[in-house]
Amino acid sequence: MRLPFLLILGLAVVQVSADAVLVANTKHAGSKLTTDQVANAYLGKKVALADGTVLVPVNQNEGKPIRDEFLQKVTGKSDAQIKSYWAKLAFTGKGDAPKDVGGDADVKKMVAGNPSMIGYIDKGAVDASVSVVYTAE
């Protein structure tokens, strides 16, 4: 009797996973990024928009399901692998990991206030304060 319940519960968890989108300042409305550009930004490589704006990515806090899902979809690496990657870069002085912020509302606030910042949020949290530049699929 427990197994069917656990299966149903497991399916319900999969269905409530977030649809992540990458947002930028409204100054960049109409801009679209590729998966490679987003991955490069989150792996510390310089990515610039057509107008020359160099993108500065932000992460949601550790432990948020959207963080794990987004990073896996975009970079092909788990959160643990990303942390290890950034630890090596920081140790060698070659870069610092993206700043961690709270959740969707915090990401929107940072992105809305800085034309260089990008960050991922749940698709349902998008409003007029930010512009969608990439959809993780």
Side-chain angles (χ1 to χ4, degrees):
M1 195 68 167
R2 281 185 164 174
L3 186 58
F5 174 74
L6 292 175
L7 272 171
I8 292 169
L9 181 61
L11 291 174
V13 170
V14 170
Q15 291 177 349
V16 296
S17 66
D19 288 327
V21 294
L22 188 75
V23 294
N25 188 281
T26 55
K27 173 184 175 189
H28 305 298
S31 296
K32 296 295 176 205
L33 297 174
T34 66
T35 301
D36 286 341
Q37 288 174 308
V38 177
N40 285 337
Y42 276 90
L43 293 173
K45 298 174 177 109
K46 183 178 173 182
V47 176
L49 295 174
D51 68 0
T53 302
V54 176
L55 300 177
V56 178
V58 295
N59 270 326
Q60 293 206 16
N61 281 340
E62 236 178 279
K64 298 243 181 207
I66 193 170
R67 175 183 171 132
D68 298 333
E69 291 174 28
F70 181 81
L71 293 174
Q72 181 68 48
K73 285 179 182 177
V74 170
T75 67
K77 298 178 185 304
S78 70
D79 191 34
Q81 290 171 315
I82 292 284
K83 286 193 295 193
S84 174
Y85 172 87
W86 278 109
K88 289 176 189 171
L89 284 183
F91 181 75
T92 59
K94 295 182 181 176
D96 292 313
K99 181 178 180 169
D100 289 353
V101 299
D104 293 343
D106 299 308
V107 170
K108 287 191 301 185
K109 184 177 179 181
M110 290 197 75
V111 167
N114 186 329
S116 297
M117 290 203 161
I118 55 172
Y120 50 89
I121 63 174
D122 182 87
K123 186 177 184 177
V126 173
D127 61 26
S129 69
V130 294
S131 178
V132 175
V133 293
Y134 175 80
T135 302
E137 295 185 15

